[in-house]
C-alpha cells in the first residue's frame, strides 16, 4: 500500500474513532441505580395501595385491612432500608435541605447535565418522604379505625373510645391527602418524561439509568439482598406480633 493510501486509511480510522467517541458522549452509559429490593418495594407498594383503595370503594373491608397491613409492613421495610440499604436507597443520599433544593431548581432551569442526579432528585425526595409518612400514619390509624356499625380495626379493643374516634377521623381525612400526593407524583413523572425527556419509570423497572455523556460517576454501593430480607422479615414480624397481642 502506498504512503498516501496509509495516510488516508489512518485519517478514516481516526474519524471513525472520533465518531464513536462522540456517540458515547452523546448517549453516555448506563449504571445500575436501583437495586432489586428497592424496585420490588416500589411496585409492591403501588399494588398494595391500589388494592386498599379499590377494596374500600367496593366495601370489601377484610381485603382492605389486609392490604393496609401489607402497606404498613412495606413502609416499615422502606424506613429500615433507607437507613442501612444500598446507596441510592438511603435517606442520607437524597434527602437534602432547602439550600440543596434551591440549587437543584437553579440547575434545572439550566437543563441538560447540570440538573442530573443519580437517584432521587431533591424535589423527588420530598415526595418520597411525604408519601412514606402519610402512608405510615394512614396504615397505623387504620388499625384503630371503627365504622361504629360492623367493622373494627384489630387494635380497637386496646384503645379508648376517644382515641378510636380521633384515629378514625384521621384515617378518613388522610385518604384525600393520599389521592392528592399520588396525583402529584404521577403528574411529576410524566412531566419529567414528556417535558424534560427524563424517563423515571424505566430505571424503576430495569434498575438501570442512562447517564449524560460527560457525567462521570461510579456504580452506587449496593447492600446485600440478605439484609433486605432480614429487614422485611423483621417488619412483618413486628406487625404480626402487634396484631397478635391485640387478640
Amino acid at each position: 500500500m502506498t504512503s498516501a493510501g496509509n495516510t488516508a486509511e489512518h485519517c478514516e480510522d481516526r474519524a471513525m474513532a472520533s465518531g464513536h467517541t462522540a456517540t458515547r458522549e452523546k448517549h453516555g452509559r448506563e449504571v445500575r441505580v436501583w437495586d432489586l429490593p428497592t424496585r420490588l418495594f416500589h411496585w409492591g407498594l403501588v399494588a398494595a395501595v391500589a388494592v386498599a383503595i379499590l377494596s374500600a370503594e367496593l366495601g370489601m373491608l377484610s381485603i382492605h385491612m389486609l392490604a393496609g397491613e401489607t402497606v404498613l409492613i412495606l413502609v416499615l421495610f422502606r424506613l429500615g432500608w433507607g437507613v442501612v440499604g444500598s446507596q441510592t436507597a438511603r435517606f442520607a443520599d437524597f434527602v437534602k435541605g432547602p439550600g440543596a433544593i434551591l440549587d437543584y431548581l437553579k440547575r434545572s432551569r439550566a437543563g441538560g447535565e447540570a440538573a442530573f442526579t443519580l437517584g432521587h432528585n431533591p424535589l423527588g425526595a420530598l415526595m418520597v418522604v411525604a408519601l412514606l409518612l402519610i402512608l405510615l400514619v394512614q396504615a397505623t390509624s387504620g388499625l384503630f379505625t371503627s365504622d361504629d356499625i360492623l367493622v373494627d380495626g384489630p387494635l380497637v379493643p386496646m384503645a379508648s373510645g376517644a382515641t378510636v374516634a380521633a384515629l378514625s377521623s384521621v384515617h378518613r381525612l388522610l385518604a384525600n391527602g393520599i389521592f392528592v400526593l399520588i396525583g402529584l407524583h404521577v403528574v411529576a413523572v410524566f412531566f419529567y418524561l414528556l417535558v424534560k425527556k427524563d424517563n423515571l419509570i424505566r430505571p424503576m423497572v430495569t434498575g438501570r439509568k442512562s447517564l449524560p455523556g460527560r457525567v462521570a460517576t461510579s456504580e452506587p454501593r449496593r447492600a446485600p439482598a440478605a439484609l433486605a430480607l432480614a429487614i422485611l422479615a423483621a417488619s412483618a414480624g413486628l406487625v404480626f406480633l402487634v396484631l397478635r397481642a391485640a387478640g
Side-chain angles (χ1 to χ4, degrees):
M1 183 177 293
T2 65
S3 176
N6 287 333
T7 301
E9 183 176 336
H10 180 64
C11 290
E12 183 179 354
D13 290 342
R14 289 183 61 186
M16 291 177 62
S18 176
H20 290 320
T21 301
T23 299
R24 285 195 297 270
E25 288 183 352
K26 179 180 179 181
H27 296 290
R29 62 189 179 90
E30 288 194 340
V31 296
R32 292 182 298 173
V33 175
W34 302 117
D35 58 22
L36 184 60
T38 301
R39 286 179 282 144
L40 290 178
F41 157 78
H42 180 274
W43 297 114
L45 187 65
V46 169
V49 170
V51 170
I53 293 173
L54 183 60
S55 59
E57 293 295 325
L58 296 177
M60 304 168 67
L61 296 185
S62 59
I63 295 177
H64 178 73
M65 288 186 181
L66 182 60
E69 293 162 8
T70 302
V71 168
L72 182 57
I73 291 171
L74 289 173
V75 171
L76 291 175
F77 161 80
R78 186 62 181 88
L79 293 176
W81 195 240
V83 175
V84 299
S86 298
Q87 177 183 333
T88 51
R90 294 192 179 195
F91 298 121
D93 184 73
F94 61 85
V95 176
K96 307 295 182 181
I101 295 173
L102 290 175
D103 178 65
Y104 173 75
L105 290 174
K106 292 177 182 177
R107 290 186 288 113
S108 293
R109 283 196 289 269
E113 296 172 11
F116 175 77
T117 55
L118 187 60
H120 293 300
N121 64 57
L123 286 179
L126 294 179
M127 179 62 70
V128 170
V129 172
L131 277 170
L132 288 176
L133 290 179
I134 196 172
L135 288 174
L136 177 64
V137 175
Q138 181 73 345
T140 302
S141 64
L143 300 177
F144 295 90
T145 297
S146 173
D147 65 357
D148 295 323
I149 302 175
L150 296 174
V151 180
D152 288 339
L155 300 188
V156 166
M158 301 179 64
S160 66
T163 299
V164 170
L167 291 178
S168 297
S169 297
V170 168
H171 192 73
R172 286 189 288 269
L173 290 173
L174 281 185
N176 296 324
I178 291 173
F179 281 122
V180 171
L181 286 180
I182 290 175
L184 289 174
H185 181 61
V186 171
V187 168
V189 167
F190 280 98
F191 172 79
Y192 272 83
L193 177 64
L194 300 176
V195 178
K196 301 181 75 67
K197 308 302 179 184
D198 186 3
N199 190 338
L200 303 178
I201 302 172
R202 178 176 172 272
M204 196 54 74
V205 174
T206 66
R208 306 185 73 87
K209 184 172 184 176
S210 297
L211 273 61
R214 292 183 176 81
V215 171
T217 185
S218 58
E219 294 270 346
R221 296 183 302 276
R222 305 170 79 82
L227 179 59
L229 288 174
I231 296 173
L232 181 62
S235 301
L238 177 61
V239 173
F240 175 78
L241 288 175
V242 170
L243 295 179
R244 186 175 182 180

